[in-house]
Amino acid sequence: MARKRILAIDGGGIRGIIPLCALVELEKQLKQPAREFFSFMAGTSTGAIIGAGLARGLSAERCLQLYIELGDRAFRRNPLDWIISLGSFKYRTAPLVKLLKEFLGNPILNELPVDVMFTAMRVRDGKPFYFVKDNPANEQLTGKLRLVDCVAASSAAPTFFEPWRVPGIGACVDGGIGIAGNPCYQACVEAFHYMPAGKYPIAETTVVSLGTGFYKTQYDPSNLIEWVQWIVGELLDEPAAQQTQLVQRHYATQGLHLVRLNVQLPQEIGMDDIGAIPRLVEIGKAAAAKLNWDALLTPPAGEKTLELAPSQLPRNAPAKNEVIIKPVKRRSAV
């Protein structure tokens, strides 16, 4: 049986440029589009946008160019909106949806040629939603939803974008609020428990989990706005860090091949910092140049991905196959 491959991409706003650079390098080295290599695309927020683009047949290079060229359209701020919303959000979601339709079209999820999962959370009751195609093993509730509605809901990060109303479900926000900022564990649950039996055999599946860069700093909130920013940041970042550990505990011991890639940023870069686009491209391409995708995607011969039993795992242990690419100092101009 041909090996199955799942791609899971974190949230992170404009920092989605970083995993896109890694995917550009993957397509270059493997000489095939991501959609032909991965059979399942999962994403949260910016990861949902990237996963949707790849699922629609766009190359990683094309998606990267769209991020570079259209970032200012997605993060176009009108101070009046911020005032009218009493500071609830900085950006209207409707312009983002219009932009998404331009390069994604308007299909329903069931029309996509690969499996997908985009995460969101419903506002009225805090219920997490996983937008997936209908199949005989699931409840068949979301497959007829429009792709752009699902992606917009997943991308509506609180305080950044206004919630997006999904027909039949209601107003939703970024799936990273809660536990799915890194959707690799949710993607595994979907593939192994909510797909027809045998479609994704655990021991014959590779999961590639891509981060959008991280920078740890010391915070000292001193007012309400700073505390809100800190709380939202922790809600998005900390649960995401636990997802690869959950995959290890529950599936790597059964033979799953997990590859987690992330980049340590040299400075803090906000999710909507479009002025940092050139720097993000520089960081992303430098990190991607260090990747040997053929080696990364080759499961260890004669052994499981993880030797330790779940009870032996330190609570905060990094993933065995996690690759953290450290920042490189910029050369001074001559």
Side-chain angles (χ1 to χ4, degrees):
M1 181 178 183
R3 190 164 194 86
K4 294 289 189 174
R5 302 180 186 92
I6 299 171
L7 174 64
I9 308 175
D10 294 11
I14 199 65
R15 297 199 310 269
I17 285 172
I18 290 175
L20 274 171
C21 288
L23 289 167
V24 168
E25 188 64 25
L26 178 144
E27 291 186 342
K28 184 187 304 181
Q29 291 184 22
L30 302 184
K31 296 180 173 56
Q32 64 180 129
R35 191 174 75 175
E36 295 180 8
F37 187 76
F38 295 101
S39 54
F40 189 163
M41 311 281 192
T44 293
S45 196
T46 199
I49 295 175
I50 296 169
L54 298 176
R56 288 291 284 156
L58 297 179
S59 68
E61 181 67 46
R62 178 59 180 150
C63 290
L64 176 60
Q65 289 305 313
L66 287 168
Y67 265 63
I68 294 170
E69 296 168 6
L70 304 177
D72 62 332
R73 285 179 58 187
F75 295 105
R76 182 171 294 170
R77 187 172 183 179
N78 182 347
L80 186 60
D81 289 337
W82 189 83
I83 294 171
I84 293 173
S85 71
L86 300 179
S88 296
F89 58 84
K90 295 193 284 185
Y91 310 105
R92 290 284 182 188
T93 307
L96 174 62
V97 172
K98 181 179 179 182
L99 185 60
L100 291 173
K101 286 182 178 179
E102 289 180 17
F103 70 92
L104 295 179
N106 201 29
I108 62 173
L109 296 187
N110 284 342
E111 294 173 337
L112 298 175
V114 295
D115 293 320
V116 295
M117 185 195 75
F118 307 122
T119 70
M121 180 173 286
R122 186 161 62 187
V123 174
R124 73 169 182 258
D125 55 7
K127 179 180 178 179
F129 270 85
Y130 305 111
F131 300 123
V132 298
K133 296 166 64 174
D134 296 338
N135 74 69
N138 67 22
E139 296 177 314
Q140 303 182 25
L141 296 176
T142 62
K144 293 181 176 62
L145 295 175
R146 294 289 172 184
L147 175 63
V148 290
D149 286 322
C150 299
V151 173
S154 184
S155 303
T159 75
F160 288 92
F161 286 98
E162 63 181 324
W164 185 252
R165 190 167 297 279
V166 179
I169 292 177
C172 295
V173 295
D174 190 329
I177 298 297
I179 60 173
N182 167 1
C184 68
Y185 179 66
Q186 287 73 24
C188 286
V189 170
E190 191 67 33
F192 304 142
H193 304 288
Y194 293 94
M195 295 279 187
K199 186 173 185 179
Y200 287 91
I202 296 176
E204 297 298 326
T205 299
T206 293
V207 174
V208 175
S209 173
L210 299 181
T212 56
F214 68 94
Y215 178 79
K216 282 297 184 182
T217 188
Q218 299 296 317
Y219 291 98
D220 185 21
S222 60
N223 57 55
L224 178 61
I225 293 177
E226 290 178 357
W227 273 109
V228 170
Q229 291 173 336
W230 179 84
I231 291 170
V232 171
E234 291 301 301
L235 284 172
L236 290 170
D237 294 340
E238 291 308 312
Q242 300 171 11
Q243 301 308 298
T244 45
Q245 293 178 38
L246 289 172
V247 172
Q248 282 185 305
R249 289 172 181 269
H250 294 172
Y251 300 114
T253 51
Q254 300 179 56
L256 177 77
H257 180 215
L258 169 66
V259 178
R260 170 69 177 173
L261 302 177
N262 209 352
V263 176
Q264 184 176 340
L265 299 174
Q267 74 257 9
E268 188 170 11
I269 298 176
M271 293 193 297
D272 59 344
D273 187 357
I274 58 175
I277 288 176
R279 181 67 172 131
L280 284 167
V281 172
E282 180 184 14
I283 293 168
K285 288 186 174 180
K290 299 178 182 180
L291 300 177
N292 180 336
W293 276 107
D294 187 60
L296 286 169
L297 293 168
T298 301
E303 64 176 32
K304 294 182 179 180
T305 302
L306 188 68
E307 294 88 353
L308 295 178
S311 61
Q312 297 174 287
L313 285 172
R315 186 175 179 187
N316 295 311
K320 178 183 176 183
N321 278 25
E322 183 169 19
V323 178
I324 302 295
I325 302 173
K326 299 289 182 68
V328 177
K329 292 184 179 179
R330 303 177 73 174
R331 294 184 179 181
S332 301
V334 179

